[in-house]
Amino acid sequence: MQIAPSVLAADFTRLGEEIRRVSAADYLHLDIMDGHFVPNISYGPGVVAALRPLTDLPFDVHLMLEHPLQYIPDFIKAGADLITFHVECSDPIAETIEAIHQGGAKAGLVVKPGTPAEALWPWLEQLDMVLVMTVEPGFGGQSFMEPMLQKVQQIKEKAPNLPVEVDGGVNRSTIEACAQAGVDICVAGTGVFRAEDAEKALRELQSF
């Protein structure tokens, strides 16, 4: 299993040190929230750019934005390697995917718990990854919604080689179900950054 620790769960008073604690990860997951698409605000491209020199990990940037398209160049310039945005957003999907690819990054689409997997079908061939939310987006520390794994199986049946990521409530007690469903990448926040030994927690999750 590939693991992408979510910076949202890190200690923001010592972000540099926190990033170094998770150097054994596969990605670094960065949640960008605008206070409109989700009822929370996190940080912008300035913070992403500040973190970029601190690690060689690929930046997995999750845009929880009503209008992601206008921010694509900013996040690519800040160092995003992979940008995911929501199929439920208000911007044209194909145009946003194209903007990400033209900027040199990989593109992924995200589905909220209430959105069926079928909403992704028109764009599967254009995507580098799909992210299935296993909690309602906006806040960390929520409980894992196991029924969402049915979407993972549906996506894998439709596009077997497309990497699928899940985000929300992933820890040692929920990751086995993710692995069995065919998940390729798990976002883990509190399960890694709040662990006493972050590297040990990472290795345990990666072993599934």
Side-chain angles (χ1 to χ4, degrees):
M1 182 66 72
Q2 292 188 309
I3 302 298
S6 173
V7 171
L8 202 62
D11 181 349
F12 274 60
T13 65
R14 51 191 189 97
L15 267 183
E17 185 181 333
E18 289 280 78
I19 300 310
R20 286 185 279 272
R21 287 177 68 216
V22 297
S23 60
D26 299 284
Y27 296 86
L28 195 66
H29 190 82
L30 298 138
D31 288 305
I32 313 299
M33 298 181 275
D34 63 1
H36 296 282
F37 186 76
V38 291
N40 198 3
I41 294 172
S42 57
Y43 46 85
V47 170
V48 176
L51 295 178
R52 184 66 280 181
L54 303 181
T55 177
D56 293 328
L57 289 176
F59 277 10
D60 168 15
V61 177
H62 175 191
L63 301 183
M64 289 174 262
L65 309 179
E66 191 67 46
H67 295 285
L69 180 56
Q70 63 184 311
Y71 296 102
I72 299 303
D74 294 333
F75 282 103
I76 289 176
K77 185 179 178 181
D81 298 285
L82 166 69
I83 296 178
T84 59
F85 67 100
H86 279 259
V87 72
E88 305 93 354
C89 77
S90 296
D91 284 344
I93 303 296
E95 190 178 335
T96 307
I97 294 170
E98 179 64 20
I100 295 169
H101 284 152
Q102 284 185 348
K106 293 182 177 179
L109 268 179
V110 192
V111 282
K112 289 183 179 182
T115 302
E118 288 83 358
L120 301 166
W121 291 176
W123 298 284
L124 286 184
E125 292 184 1
Q126 301 169 47
L127 298 175
D128 301 293
M129 192 183 77
V130 166
L131 170 53
V132 173
M133 293 302 300
T134 43
V135 298
E136 287 294 340
F139 295 91
Q142 298 182 64
S143 297
F144 183 78
M145 299 166 69
E146 190 163 342
M148 296 302 109
L149 294 178
Q150 295 172 9
K151 293 184 194 177
V152 176
Q153 294 168 332
Q154 291 172 327
I155 294 162
K156 284 295 185 180
E157 287 171 8
K158 193 84 173 174
N161 297 318
L162 184 63
V164 177
E165 180 176 56
V166 296
D167 181 1
V170 175
N171 53 41
R172 283 192 65 187
S173 63
T174 57
I175 194 167
E176 188 169 358
C178 296
Q180 291 173 350
V183 173
D184 301 286
I185 307 159
C186 283
V187 176
T190 54
V192 173
F193 279 114
R194 304 292 167 86
E196 190 171 329
D197 187 335
E199 186 170 349
K200 182 182 176 185
L202 265 173
R203 296 296 188 197
E204 287 176 349
L205 293 173
Q206 287 167 328
S207 70
F208 282 89

